[in-house]
Amino acid sequence: MTTATGMKARSLREIDPGTIKRILIRGTNWIGDVIMSLPAVTSVRRTLPGARITVLAKPWVADLYRACPDIDDVIVFQSPGRHDGIAGKIRLARELREERFDLALLLQNAIEAALIAWHARIPLRAGYDADCRGFLLTHAVRRTRVIRKVHQIDYYLEMVRALGFSVAGREIRLVPADESRAAADHILEGYGVRGDDLLIGFAPGASYGPAKMWFPERFAAVADRLADAYSARNILFGSSGDRERTEAMQRQGAHSFIDLAGKTTLAEAMALIARCALFISNDSGLMHLAGALDVPLVAIFGSTNPATTSPPGAMSCVVHKDVPCSPCLKKECPTDFACMDLIGVDDVLDAAKNLLKSGPPSGGTERQ
């Protein structure tokens, strides 16, 4: 089968779909990648509605997959833990072998994923031929230069399309669990949040590096002006590694924040973000999570490329300055950090007010 992008692969359409009853999907390892791969998972579900879909996922993203209604079960890849090292991978493969999967669909690109699926004796093994693993796959999809430049949602969709699945579109469905919603309510009550309070979330960190992060003092200025204009309660989100950024916002802001960085599980953060009337974030996993939940979102891009990793959601607005060196995709800026320095408080504030007032600007993206 050859696709419009020049990909070639043996199609799974050649196989009787009635023989594919148990599917293992090796999930991606990071929040943003998980979210951008979910339309591909939905495509698998729509094509084989009677199959049982299980995802193999690292612990820190397992709750995301559990919130996807197209997935039946999640197996946790316990590394760090009992699946560490060669012995641990062999142990994992033996555990998977007992599940008698008919198909392994490898969204994660590493050769390790293919080796585990092969050692688990899963008869059909499909995915991109990345990391020199093509010989381990029964159905390999070639990664062309073209496909490496498209948005990551389309990157994963093209893989399943090339394999013969019917593409279901770019829709993302996440449903926070009832217990997570209850936990979120309990957390907010502890900070004196009332049911009618307008909540605005901020994610001033980003795990990749400082080149992706706008300035804490400008985040704080936006938060203060929104608090003044809308009597909003401002919530800070992130991991424990983001505490330096959230604490800097606390010092710079005139209004107090509810600082939850490092204090919630991912499932709780999902439920809390879903309660927000607006979310303002650097390019990060939480940015993608807010977009997937259809929360009005202002996404600030500097060193990274919104053409390939812009957030999902009809209410997502990207603020980005076109400078000659951007996107450089570097962790740290080697020059003057112009891509972020040129983004002013008013740029983000105006986008935020537009979303709060009447929905996103035309096309959902602001380019400056």
Side-chain angles (χ1 to χ4, degrees):
M1 179 177 181
T2 302
T3 71
T5 56
M7 290 185 165
K8 295 181 179 180
R10 288 173 54 198
S11 173
L12 290 169
R13 290 188 185 279
E14 301 167 6
I15 298 167
D16 179 1
T19 65
I20 302 178
K21 297 179 180 179
R22 298 179 66 84
I23 300 171
L24 177 70
I25 296 179
R26 172 58 170 102
T28 55
N29 290 341
W30 306 108
I31 294 173
D33 292 335
V34 169
I35 289 166
M36 290 186 285
S37 70
L38 288 179
V41 175
T42 299
S43 297
V44 175
R45 167 58 69 210
R46 301 282 175 84
T47 305
L48 297 171
R52 183 169 185 82
I53 297 176
T54 299
V55 171
L56 177 63
K58 287 296 184 77
W60 51 86
V61 293
D63 281 338
L64 272 181
Y65 287 113
R66 293 187 181 108
C68 176
D70 294 313
I71 294 167
D72 298 301
D73 194 18
V74 175
I75 295 175
V76 178
F77 188 160
Q78 296 180 29
S79 178
R82 65 192 306 269
H83 296 142
D84 276 342
I86 295 175
K89 305 302 183 295
I90 293 173
R91 181 182 297 113
L92 173 61
R94 288 173 178 168
E95 293 167 2
L96 295 175
R97 190 185 309 169
E98 294 176 359
E99 299 292 332
R100 298 185 179 277
F101 291 108
D102 303 302
L103 165 66
L105 182 64
L106 310 180
L107 298 178
Q108 203 251 359
N109 287 321
I111 191 172
E112 175 190 88
L115 282 167
I116 291 171
W118 174 80
H119 194 74
R121 298 180 185 172
I122 301 174
L124 301 175
R125 302 177 300 277
Y128 277 123
D129 62 353
D131 205 22
C132 302
R133 68 182 187 176
F135 72 99
L136 292 167
L137 304 178
T138 61
H139 293 70
V141 178
R142 187 165 59 90
R143 289 201 307 169
T144 65
R145 290 183 179 179
V146 172
I147 202 60
R148 295 184 194 198
K149 295 179 180 179
V150 302
H151 193 282
Q152 286 292 290
I153 289 176
D154 300 305
Y155 172 86
Y156 294 110
L157 283 176
E158 181 58 27
M159 186 184 80
V160 295
R161 179 187 290 110
L163 291 167
F165 292 95
S166 299
V167 172
R170 303 173 100 250
E171 177 187 1
I172 296 172
R173 295 194 297 160
L174 287 175
V175 182
D178 289 342
E179 56 267 30
S180 300
R181 293 179 186 274
D185 290 341
H186 180 71
I187 290 168
L188 293 174
E189 287 170 4
Y191 286 94
V193 175
R194 301 187 303 270
D196 59 348
D197 283 343
L198 187 143
L199 305 180
I200 299 178
F202 294 85
S207 61
Y208 182 73
K212 292 178 71 172
M213 293 187 278
W214 200 44
F215 308 99
E217 63 271 20
R218 298 190 191 179
F219 267 112
V222 171
D224 282 340
R225 290 169 67 176
L226 290 173
D228 288 336
Y230 299 97
S231 299
R233 298 293 302 273
N234 294 323
I235 305 177
L236 302 179
F237 290 89
S239 68
S240 57
D242 296 319
R243 293 303 301 272
E244 182 179 346
R245 309 288 293 191
T246 60
E247 288 170 0
M249 283 186 65
Q250 292 268 28
R251 292 193 301 270
Q252 296 286 339
H255 293 273
S256 63
F257 294 90
I258 299 171
D259 190 350
L260 299 180
K263 299 179 181 178
T264 67
T265 66
L266 179 57
E268 290 167 349
M270 192 186 321
L272 286 160
I273 291 171
R275 288 278 304 272
C276 291
L278 175 70
F279 200 78
I280 301 176
S281 176
N282 296 315
D283 175 15
S284 66
L286 293 181
M287 173 200 76
H288 287 285
L289 181 54
L293 293 167
D294 278 332
V295 174
L297 167 68
V298 179
I300 303 168
F301 274 72
S303 64
T304 47
N305 188 358
T308 57
T309 59
S310 59
M315 298 288 283
S316 295
C317 173
V318 171
V319 177
H320 171 67
K321 296 292 185 178
D322 291 320
V323 296
C325 56
S326 177
C328 68
L329 307 182
K330 294 180 179 179
K331 292 186 177 183
E332 297 188 22
C333 177
T335 57
D336 57 3
F337 208 24
C339 62
M340 284 299 195
D341 192 36
L342 290 173
I343 297 174
V345 169
D346 285 340
D347 295 321
V348 175
L349 188 66
D350 289 347
K353 287 183 174 181
N354 282 335
L355 288 172
L356 287 171
K357 177 176 61 177
S358 59
S362 177
T365 299
E366 176 180 309
R367 291 279 192 261
Q368 297 177 3

